[in-house]
C-alpha cells in the first residue's frame, strides 16, 4: 500500500511538473512494473526456501525437491525479466523527454 501511495505521488508530481501527461504515464508504468518484479522476486525466494526446507505439500513424483527448485528458478527468471522491462520503461520515458526537449515541443 505504501508503494502504491509513493507511485501515485510520483505520478502526480510528474504530471504537475510537466506539460505532457504521457510522460507521467510512462513513469507510472515503470513504477508498476518494478513493483511487480519485486513481488515476483519475493515469491521466488519463498518457493526456494520451501523447496530447501521441504515445507508445504509434497506429492511423490510431482513435487520432489528438484522439481520445486526448478519452479523457483523459473519464477526468478520471470522476475528478472520484469526488472528488465521496468528499466526499459524508465529509459523509454527519459528518451521521450529528451526527444521532446530537443524538438522544442516542451
Amino acid at each position: 500500500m505504501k508503494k502504491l501511495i509513493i507511485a501515485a505521488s510520483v505520478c502526480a508530481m510528474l504530471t504537475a511538473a510537466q506539460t505532457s501527461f504521457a510522460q507521467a504515464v510512462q513513469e507510472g508504468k515503470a513504477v508498476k512494473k518494478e513493483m511487480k518484479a519485486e513481488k515476483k522476486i519475493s515469491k521466488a525466494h519463498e518457493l526456494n526456501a520451501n523447496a530447501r526446507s521441504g515445507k508445504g505439500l509434497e506429492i511423490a513424483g510431482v513435487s520432489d525437491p528438484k522439481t520445486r527448485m526448478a519452479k523457483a528458478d523459473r519464477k526468478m527468471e520471470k522476475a528478472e525479466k520484469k526488472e528488465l522491462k521496468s528499466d526499459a520503461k524508465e529509459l523509454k520515458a527519459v528518451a521521450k523527454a529528451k526527444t521532446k526537449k530537443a524538438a522544442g515541443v516542451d
Side-chain angles (χ1 to χ4, degrees), residues 36-87:
K36 283 185 175 182
E38 288 174 3
K39 185 177 177 182
K40 284 194 177 288
I41 287 173
S42 67
K43 183 66 176 179
H45 285 300
E46 179 186 335
L47 288 172
N48 204 346
N50 287 349
R52 283 190 184 139
S53 66
K55 182 179 175 188
L57 183 65
E58 188 169 323
I59 302 166
V62 177
S63 62
D64 59 339
K66 190 174 181 181
T67 307
R68 295 171 85 185
M69 287 298 281
K71 182 178 179 181
D73 290 341
R74 283 193 308 273
K75 188 69 87 170
M76 185 58 82
E77 287 174 11
K78 287 182 181 183
E80 289 169 356
K81 277 186 180 178
K82 285 281 184 195
E83 282 184 329
L84 288 174
K85 286 182 179 182
S86 171
D87 294 342

Side-chain angles (χ1 to χ4, degrees), residues 98-106:
K98 287 186 179 189
T99 304
K100 285 184 177 182
K101 190 172 186 178
V105 179
D106 258 354

Side-chain angles (χ1 to χ4, degrees), residues 10-25:
V10 167
C11 286
M13 286 176 21
L14 288 171
T15 304
Q18 299 175 5
T19 58
S20 170
F21 180 72
Q23 181 73 19
V25 170

